[in-house]
Each structure stands twice: as structure tokens, then as C-alpha cells.
Amino acid sequence: MRNDPPREKSPERLSFTRTVFVTVVAIIVSWTVTSICLFVLPLDPAYTEQFAWPTLTIATIVPFLVAIPVTIVLQRGRLKLERAMRELADVHAELERRSRIDPLTGILNRDAFLKQVNQLRVEGTNGAMLMIDIDHFKMINDQYGHMAGDEALRGFAGALSQAVQGRELIGRLGGEEFGAFVPCEDMETAHQAAERLRLAVNRMIFTPRPGILRRVTASIGVAGGTPADTLSELMRRADLSLYEAKAAGRDRVIVHAAA
């Protein structure tokens, strides 16, 4: 399963160009208003000529002194708002990701997995459902503890994740039970995909304690169907195949006879 790419963040810095632009505009407006006042108001021409340049000088200095700090304050406010909006978007994205991901294994959780499988089937995608169990998982917990069991689950999910191809999906359904969906038109393709996953689990390295290497295997039940079949029926048939795989000695793939 692919991780979402990191969000690119725009540089957080004040715009010198914007500050200069606002300052120039403020000076132009101040000059215009001042000029209108000097030449439109009924003043003595002598007074107008005498006070024109001092007034225009003030009309230049005041906007300059005011526009720059005001622009900086406004830009800082804008940057804070943009930063807050980005942080809010990141939090929303993280919450959305967590709603789909199993926190222990990092793969799709049950709801997200079944939702994506349903979506593929609604789109008309034929495929097979795989029900996958870690063999003798209870023995791992009992012998090495639950922390070792969690490590086994993480390694198991990692092995499956690296082995899936194309549009294949995997998810944790609960406990030591995992599911996979293989888009395909024939059961031979589904069988080959299941064997690929089983062999990937066989190759995983699991050390429940320092210096102890324990082999991990998987039993896999496979059931095929068309988009017309209900997902619950597809999972029920895959479950039957999984029970057959366990009864036959584990570490094997069983394809449902009706498929």
C-alpha cells in the first residue's frame, strides 16, 4: 500500500514587493488628495504656494511611515492564517488516513478494505477473495508474549504488502485474520496470487526473542465470484476454504470447490 506524498509547503516570508507596492499606492493617493485640497479649496494663492511643498512632503512621509508597518502586520496575519489552514488540512488528512489504516500493521483496516473491495466490484471488476490466517498465532502469544505477537502481525502484514501486485488489495480483518482481493478473470490467477502471498510469508524473518528465529506460515482460503455475488457470500466461501487449509495441515492454499 502506497503512502500519500508529503504536502508541499509554500515559503512563509513577508513579500518586500507587496510592501513597496502598497506604500507607493498610499503615497500616490495621499498626494492626489492633498493636491485636490490645495487647489480646489478657496485659499489665497500666496498661501497655497507657500504651504504646497511642506504639505506634499508631509503627504509623502506620513503614508510612508504608516503603510510599511501596516502592510507588515497584515502580511504576518495572512501568513499565520495560511499556516493555520495548512495545519488544519494536515490534521484532517491525518485523521482521514487513520480512519482507513490499521494502527498496528499499517495496512487497510477492515472497514476500509471492504469498502475498497466493494467499490471495485461495483465498477464491475471480477476477482477472488482471499482469507489469510497466521498459523498457530495463539502459540506465539502464549510462548513469547503479546508484544512478540504484535511484532509477528506487523511482519506478516509487511510481507503481504510487499507481495501484492497491481490492483490487489490487502487488509487486516481482525486479530490474526487478514484479507486480500485479487482482480482476475480465472481462479488459476487467484491461486497463483495466493501462493505468492503464502511464499512471501514463509520468507519473512521473525525473531520473537534475541537469538531465536521462528518460522511463520499462513493458511489461505480462496473463493471467486462475479460482481453479482454478495461480498458476504464471497467471504463466507473463502472462509470455508481457509478452514479446509487449516484442517489439511496449514501452510497451504485451498481454492473453494464451487469457484
Side-chain angles (χ1 to χ4, degrees), residues 38-163:
L38 286 174
F39 293 102
V40 171
L41 293 177
L43 297 176
D44 188 302
Y47 285 109
T48 301
E49 183 178 349
Q50 180 179 357
F51 291 105
W53 286 112
T55 302
L56 290 176
T57 301
I58 294 174
T60 303
I61 295 175
V62 171
F64 181 83
L65 295 177
V66 172
I68 291 179
V70 168
T71 304
I72 291 175
V73 169
L74 291 176
Q75 286 194 70
R76 285 179 175 173
R78 176 182 58 82
L79 291 176
K80 288 181 179 179
L81 179 60
E82 290 178 353
R83 183 163 57 248
M85 293 299 292
R86 280 197 303 272
E87 291 174 353
L88 182 62
D90 290 341
V91 169
H92 183 271
E94 177 63 16
L95 289 175
E96 195 276 334
R97 187 193 71 83
R98 290 186 180 184
S99 72
R100 297 183 294 109
I101 300 301
D102 176 64
L104 177 63
T105 62
I107 64 175
L108 293 174
N109 59 28
R110 181 186 182 90
D111 289 343
F113 171 72
L114 296 180
K115 182 178 179 180
Q116 291 195 26
V117 172
N118 257 328
Q119 183 61 39
L120 287 176
R121 301 180 78 243
V122 166
E123 294 169 357
T125 302
N126 289 330
M129 177 65 73
L130 282 58
M131 303 295 280
I132 311 168
D133 254 12
I134 302 178
D135 293 330
H136 302 296
F137 180 70
K138 185 176 184 302
M139 187 181 299
I140 295 176
N141 274 335
D142 292 344
Q143 188 171 358
Y144 303 107
H146 289 282
M147 290 186 65
D150 288 348
E151 189 60 35
L153 289 171
R154 281 190 288 266
F156 190 83
L160 296 178
S161 298
Q162 293 177 5

Side-chain angles (χ1 to χ4, degrees), residues 217-231:
T217 62
S219 298
I220 304 178
V222 183
T226 68
D229 297 320
T230 64
L231 182 56

